Amino acid sequence: MRTDMMTTDRLDTFGRVSGATLLASFVILALAAAGLGYSQSGLLLGLFVVLLLIATAFSVSRHLLSGRHPDNSDSVRSSVLSRGIVGWLFGVVLTVFYVILYWFPHLLGGMVALFDLPSNLLRGKDADQWFMYGTFYTLAVVLMGIRAMARYRGSRYHVIRTMSVMFFQLILAFIVPSILVLFRKPELYFSYFWPLDYDLLWPSSVEQLTQEGFLGAFALTWGIILTFVATPILTYFFGKRWYCSWVCGCGGLAETAGDPFRHLSDKRLVAWKIERWMIHGVLLLIVATTLLLWLNTLAGGAVLGSVSSGFTQFYGFYIGAIFSGVIGVGFYPLMGARVWCRFGCPMAAILGIQQRFFSRFRITTNGGQCISCGNCSKYCEMGIDVRWYAQRGQNIVRASCVGCGVCATVCPRGVLKLENGPGDGRFGDGFVARDSVEILRPGD
Amino acid sequence: MREKIVIIGNGIAGTTVARHVRKNSDSEIIVVGSESPFLFARTALMYVYMGSLTLTDIKLYEDWFWKKNRIQLRYDTASTADFSAKTIRLDGGESLGYDRLVLATGSRPNRLSVPGEDLVGVSAFYSLGDLERIQDLTRGGRKAVVIGGGLIGVELAEMLVSRGIQVTFLVREARYLESVLPAEESELIAGEIRSHGINLVFGETVAAVTSRNGRTVSGVRTESGETYEADFVGVAIGVGPNVEFAARNSIPVSRGIVVNEFFETQVPDVYAVGDCVEFERSGIGHKMIEQLWYAASRHGIALASNLTGVPVPYDRHVFYNSAKFFELEYQTYGSVPADSDERNSVVWSDGHRLIRIVFDPAKNTVLGFSSLGVRMRQAKCVEWIQNGDGVQDVVARIHQALFDPEFTRRLDRQAFRVQQVNPNVRASVS
């Protein structure tokens, strides 16, 4: 392909067609919700899927037509990608959708009925709002995953990592739970663990799982081993990325559907300060909630009494639903795709503490090669001011880094490299600063 | 009484001086800048044009940084100095007294010195003002000519082609960066430039910029008589030290402001760093003018330690530089002469990527590296060069210096065609 065809105007056109088609697919959903979903479910579902495929095809083409290095020329100018009027509207639509999904599902009406056919095929029963949501989620990860692979095709790290999140979402978070339902088994998700799956280790769930026979015992053992054994070991060797940008469904959505919005994360120091208070606050809350619930259970209800259900409802409502759902995804076009992962996720908090203090993972800065252009900071979805470290010749060792690798990909000078080196010298000796010492004391 | 250090120029050199003086001392620091209120990454101007970054993104530090580090900024132009009274005067009317004055006035683009170069539609690409001008001039543009075969020229070409403008890239030399790069590197880069639809022409010297209406540009005419149509002409024929302030105030200048290895000018308590300086011949025995982002920052660190500690001479350390030609990344460490060939270097290339290891043919010790499309680890390359490691050893351990991302297809040395092998090192390469 002659790349002299790849003018930004042309790329913008592809992006606009893709966006318009996506909008049309939303209109289909609205028509379904308005009642057509009951009478015309086959037709509307077909149209919806075809429109999504067309939108994906145009978006993928846009990236295949631009160079092997990711083209970010639309992120500043496009209204939807730069908090313009379209971006705000999109954010409002997403947020309203989540509010309806969680608290006013009856308003979804015929939209849910649209998914009866796939639900019956997979689960042997009619769709409910959560099956519909899971289908949306999986479609977003898979279709936008294909787009992400096209955008980052110049780096095998991204291609393999994207395939990984697509696999875990499609198989472990969609098909397996559906098939379990088909066989009248409990709907289990093997890719989420405590404390992200916050009630997995609560007394009520543990009790329930132990009554589910082999499958329940397996799920419980799996969850406990992953939380307390596998997580520390994997995080020691690979950093938190093994989960956050390779396995996790929230991370999977952020890396695929959220990828176009990654630059909207706030890079200011003040955002980092707020982030640390919030994420560790949520971690404290879930640890305290879980411990209290267990104390309460062991003491036969003497500790909390009737308050215990209030506790669990509080966490489930404010953190589980509002934070991770409504804000976490609804705010994609306003604050980037990692709002939940950065400010709220207790799993990310634990992995982050370990990554910061007991891990081999770091992003190595290549000597004094940084030209301070700022592409790394701009496209960091976690809002890390990567340049701050890189221009000092320091390695980047930050609790929040999910190891997506985009900073290393967008760097025009090849300055950054994700590494699992030995712990010694992990923070880097600061190439630039070290040289200044040599200048001070040339004789040493 | 705290010492007062006034720095003219808020680019990377001047700001680095300020930051490192602050690290080492409690001096009062004032930085005067006329191009922009804050330090920005000049290296990133092309990304602002192409739309992946905004002007805010290319500020190196958040706005609180200056106050927190007690670095006072003046968005103004320094015009005159009175060295006996130790004051400078700004265009805005302010007078600034100083104990020590640092000139970090940077560089300015070289002029073509041909008829027509001041026509509307002709621009260099160096400053924020140039960026704005080029954004205006190229809106809806159709054809452009870029003059000059350096690093800025290829950036300009990439920018223009991203807007769908047909670009002719006129290079005076017979091959790309002839005086800096070995022939294989030039060829790979030229291929990369052409693969992006650029009409790359070597051996053409511009004789005149032409106009049909006497006001706006219509193209260029070369010394060979060839004409090229253009509604925009980008001039990127290098930069020279900006000595305007120094010259006006009788600080001795040659091509640049003359300094010794302590960055002292010939006026007491006046120093100069970065692009604007020219080292005295008696000094450090390497290139007299270093106009690189990296060098400016190193100058700044060195001068700051001189201003606040025991003065020690500037040492350039092992040279390094990098660039990106469209999608092809380039890095170089140590010494890689432009006439390198099989007598002094080993080259791997698969036609798209390249690594060259330069060595001393007499001693077989490694002197330098260059790479295209392969990222190299600076610390490793520098270590080998400083240790004077044998080229055979380095060839055998070259994977230790690779800095490509994880899962990059392993650089299979068997698959890389060894283009040139010195008989002395053949055994360990094949």
Side-chain angles (χ1 to χ4, degrees):
Chain A
M1 176 89 43
R2 287 272 299 206
T3 34
D4 54 343
M5 302 296 287
M6 65 163 200
T7 69
T8 43
D9 282 350
R10 218 172 264 260
L11 297 180
D12 285 354
T13 306
F14 275 83
R16 273 194 285 269
V17 172
S18 178
T21 321
L22 184 68
L23 187 67
S25 75
F26 290 174
V27 171
I28 299 289
L29 293 179
L31 288 175
L36 281 180
Y38 297 113
S39 52
Q40 302 288 343
S41 70
L43 175 70
L44 290 185
L45 179 65
L47 269 176
F48 174 67
V49 171
V50 166
L51 286 171
L52 281 188
L53 290 176
I54 294 173
T56 309
F58 272 93
S59 187
V60 166
S61 306
R62 182 204 181 283
H63 290 285
L64 289 180
L65 285 171
S66 67
R68 287 170 57 81
H69 285 229
D71 174 80
N72 293 320
S73 62
D74 54 353
S75 59
V76 171
R77 290 174 295 111
S78 149
S79 176
V80 68
L81 300 184
S82 61
R83 282 190 283 255
I85 180 82
V86 185
W88 276 95
L89 282 174
F90 191 31
V92 169
V93 167
L94 279 175
T95 305
V96 167
F97 171 75
Y98 268 88
V99 170
I100 291 175
L101 178 74
Y102 277 105
W103 296 294
F104 309 99
H106 59 278
L107 293 178
L108 294 169
M111 202 198 284
V112 176
L114 222 52
F115 296 89
D116 283 343
L117 179 69
S119 181
N120 275 298
L121 282 175
L122 269 171
R123 314 192 304 162
K125 63 177 187 182
D126 278 352
D128 54 22
Q129 93 231 47
W130 298 118
F131 178 80
M132 180 193 77
Y133 177 55
T135 309
F136 285 160
Y137 203 105
T138 307
L139 279 172
V141 170
V142 171
L143 296 179
M144 289 297 281
I146 296 170
R147 172 199 166 277
M149 287 199 290
R151 184 186 198 187
Y152 298 112
R153 70 190 182 284
S155 161
R156 287 183 82 218
Y157 178 76
H158 293 297
V159 173
I160 295 169
R161 186 176 57 70
T162 306
M163 288 197 293
S164 174
V165 293
M166 287 162 69
F167 167 84
F168 281 105
Q169 176 59 35
L170 181 65
I171 306 299
L172 286 195
F174 187 65
I175 291 185
V176 167
S178 296
I179 288 174
L180 287 173
V181 172
L182 182 66
F183 289 100
R184 305 274 186 272
K185 300 288 183 198
E187 189 177 335
L188 297 168
Y189 292 79
F190 293 104
S191 52
Y192 291 99
F193 322 110
W194 187 89
L196 174 55
D197 188 357
Y198 53 90
D199 58 0
L200 181 66
L201 298 184
W202 284 357
S204 51
S205 317
V206 169
E207 195 186 328
Q208 210 183 337
L209 283 174
T210 49
Q211 287 166 2
E212 295 283 357
F214 171 76
L215 198 62
F218 174 78
L220 188 59
T221 316
W222 175 255
I224 291 173
I225 289 178
L226 258 299
T227 297
F228 295 108
V229 182
T231 293
I233 293 174
L234 289 169
T235 308
Y236 172 74
F237 283 105
F238 305 112
K240 77 200 275 188
R241 56 180 171 153
W242 77 267
Y243 189 70
C244 295
S245 64
W246 282 73
V247 174
C248 177
C250 307
L253 190 70
E255 295 296 341
T256 52
D259 178 68
F261 305 105
R262 55 171 52 251
H263 56 283
L264 299 175
S265 59
D266 193 332
K267 312 303 188 306
R268 290 173 304 158
L269 187 65
V270 62
W272 184 19
K273 286 181 178 160
I274 295 169
E275 162 196 323
R276 282 180 293 181
W277 278 104
M278 288 187 69
I279 193 167
H280 296 124
V282 174
L283 176 63
L284 269 180
L285 191 65
I286 186 62
V287 169
T289 304
T290 306
L291 285 177
L292 274 173
L293 288 172
W294 276 103
L295 276 177
N296 187 48
T297 302
L298 294 174
V303 181
L304 294 172
S306 60
V307 192
S308 99
S309 67
F311 239 81
T312 58
Q313 278 168 13
F314 175 84
Y315 190 90
F317 181 76
Y318 284 102
I319 307 298
I322 293 195
F323 204 157
S324 75
V326 178
I327 297 176
V329 181
F331 285 19
Y332 267 25
L334 305 177
M335 296 175 69
R338 288 280 191 175
V339 176
W340 161 248
C341 313
R342 181 182 179 192
F343 295 98
C345 176
M347 179 95 175
I350 293 187
L351 296 179
I353 292 169
Q354 197 192 334
Q355 171 161 286
R356 175 67 179 70
F357 296 105
F358 317 103
S359 170
R360 294 159 63 99
F361 174 71
R362 87 293 304 271
I363 301 175
T364 306
T365 292
N366 198 13
Q369 293 275 16
C370 176
I371 54 170
S372 298
C373 71
N375 276 294
C376 52
S377 295
K378 175 85 172 177
Y379 292 95
C380 176
E381 57 187 346
M382 296 303 286
I384 299 170
D385 190 359
V386 182
R387 166 173 56 190
W388 176 272
Y389 305 90
Q391 67 192 359
R392 284 169 160 67
Q394 284 172 0
N395 294 346
I396 296 99
V397 179
R398 276 280 290 270
S400 61
C401 174
V402 293
C404 71
V406 165
C407 56
T409 302
V410 297
C411 173
R413 293 291 192 277
V415 173
L416 303 166
K417 177 168 161 51
L418 280 59
E419 290 192 305
N420 311 306
D424 294 344
R426 181 169 169 244
F427 289 80
D429 30 21
F431 192 88
V432 178
R434 188 188 65 197
D435 283 356
S436 72
V437 174
E438 284 173 14
I439 290 164
L440 273 171
R441 291 192 299 258
D444 288 359
Chain B
M1 186 58 192
R2 285 186 303 148
E3 186 179 51
K4 187 169 175 183
I5 294 176
V6 172
I7 300 164
I8 300 176
N10 67 353
I12 184 66
T15 305
T16 305
V17 174
R19 277 181 48 228
H20 284 262
V21 166
R22 174 55 70 236
K23 276 187 182 178
N24 305 339
S25 86
D26 194 38
S27 307
E28 187 179 350
I29 303 169
I30 300 174
V31 182
V32 181
S34 59
E35 185 182 2
S36 64
F38 298 99
L39 169 66
F40 69 92
R42 193 176 298 290
T43 49
L45 287 176
M46 68 177 290
Y47 301 109
V48 175
Y49 181 92
M50 290 170 68
S52 53
L53 297 173
T54 64
L55 283 175
T56 310
D57 296 325
I58 68 171
K59 283 184 193 173
L60 269 70
Y61 302 101
E62 285 185 57
D63 294 351
W64 51 259
F65 180 86
W66 311 103
K67 197 169 177 196
K68 179 174 179 258
N69 288 291
R70 289 173 292 128
I71 295 170
Q72 303 174 47
L73 301 177
R74 295 284 193 285
Y75 183 27
D76 207 335
T77 307
S79 50
T80 56
D82 180 344
F83 298 122
S84 55
K86 285 193 156 185
T87 53
I88 62 164
R89 179 167 281 280
L90 308 184
D91 280 358
E94 190 181 4
S95 254
L96 289 174
Y98 66 82
D99 295 308
R100 295 200 269 183
L101 180 66
V102 178
L103 308 182
T105 47
S107 45
R108 50 174 45 177
N110 292 333
R111 286 177 58 84
L112 272 176
S113 305
V114 299
E117 101 169 280
D118 294 318
L119 288 165
V120 174
V122 184
S123 180
F125 180 49
Y126 179 80
S127 64
L128 272 179
D130 293 339
L131 172 70
E132 280 160 22
R133 187 180 317 114
I134 294 173
Q135 280 172 331
D136 287 343
L137 288 174
T138 59
R139 199 158 287 138
R142 217 168 36 80
K143 283 188 170 181
V145 168
V146 173
I147 303 166
L151 304 182
I152 306 289
V154 77
E155 283 185 7
L156 253 178
E158 184 175 353
M159 288 156 53
L160 297 170
V161 87
S162 79
R163 294 283 169 88
I165 297 170
Q166 284 180 38
V167 179
T168 298
F169 190 5
L170 299 181
V171 178
R172 195 171 52 183
E173 291 77 24
R175 59 180 176 83
Y176 190 73
L177 276 177
E178 187 181 43
S179 61
V180 178
L181 294 177
E184 288 81 2
E185 280 87 326
S186 288
E187 215 156 284
L188 269 186
I189 294 167
E192 173 74 10
I193 293 171
R194 288 188 170 124
S195 80
H196 285 81
I198 309 280
N199 176 27
L200 176 60
V201 185
F202 291 113
E204 283 279 42
T205 304
V206 172
V209 180
T210 57
S211 174
R212 280 191 206 97
N213 58 14
R215 203 179 65 82
T216 55
V217 69
S218 65
V220 301
R221 194 177 65 246
T222 65
E223 284 179 359
S224 67
E226 198 76 42
T227 57
Y228 298 90
E229 214 181 299
D231 40 46
F232 172 76
V233 172
V235 181
I237 52 168
V239 294
N242 176 6
V243 298
E244 192 186 326
F245 176 87
R248 191 188 310 130
N249 293 287
S250 310
I251 298 172
V253 297
S254 171
R255 276 173 64 210
I257 303 168
V258 178
V259 297
N260 62 17
E261 65 271 36
F262 301 98
F263 300 98
E264 292 166 332
T265 68
Q266 290 170 28
V267 177
D269 293 323
V270 178
Y271 304 79
V273 281
D275 281 14
C276 66
V277 308
E278 176 172 356
F279 291 102
E280 282 174 347
R281 208 148 286 279
S282 59
I284 45 193
H286 52 68
K287 202 175 171 186
M288 297 293 116
I289 296 178
E290 293 185 312
Q291 289 173 319
L292 292 175
W293 179 265
Y294 303 130
S297 142
R298 302 182 76 96
H299 288 187
I301 295 171
L303 173 60
S305 62
N306 287 344
L307 290 175
T308 56
V310 183
V312 290
Y314 171 64
D315 174 6
R316 192 173 66 163
H317 214 68
V318 175
F319 176 79
Y320 63 95
N321 198 11
S322 71
K324 192 178 180 193
F325 307 99
F326 286 87
E327 302 190 87
L328 192 59
E329 289 174 18
Y330 165 73
Q331 298 177 341
T332 183
Y333 303 101
S335 161
V336 179
D339 60 356
S340 294
D341 58 20
E342 68 278 3
R343 284 163 299 168
N344 74 335
S345 59
V346 184
V347 174
W348 289 298
S349 176
D350 59 2
H352 306 285
R353 305 186 287 179
L354 174 151
I355 297 178
R356 178 188 299 275
I357 306 176
V358 175
F359 58 93
D360 178 340
K363 297 189 247 167
N364 265 352
T365 54
V366 165
L367 300 175
F369 298 83
S370 68
S371 68
L372 281 165
V374 182
R375 296 175 176 180
M376 304 285 284
R377 195 180 292 271
Q378 181 170 6
K380 210 57 181 173
C381 294
V382 167
E383 179 193 316
W384 287 336
I385 293 168
Q386 284 181 325
N387 290 349
D389 283 359
V391 64
Q392 288 93 337
D393 281 353
V394 169
V395 165
R397 287 180 289 159
I398 192 69
H399 63 277
Q400 293 176 12
L402 299 184
F403 200 70
D404 280 329
E406 295 161 300
F407 299 112
T408 301
R409 285 190 198 285
R410 202 182 163 91
L411 195 68
D412 184 351
R413 277 182 279 151
Q414 307 297 329
F416 262 55
R417 192 159 50 88
V418 177
Q419 293 188 325
Q420 309 168 344
V421 185
N422 184 290
N424 295 331
V425 293
R426 184 186 293 278
S428 54
V429 174
S430 53

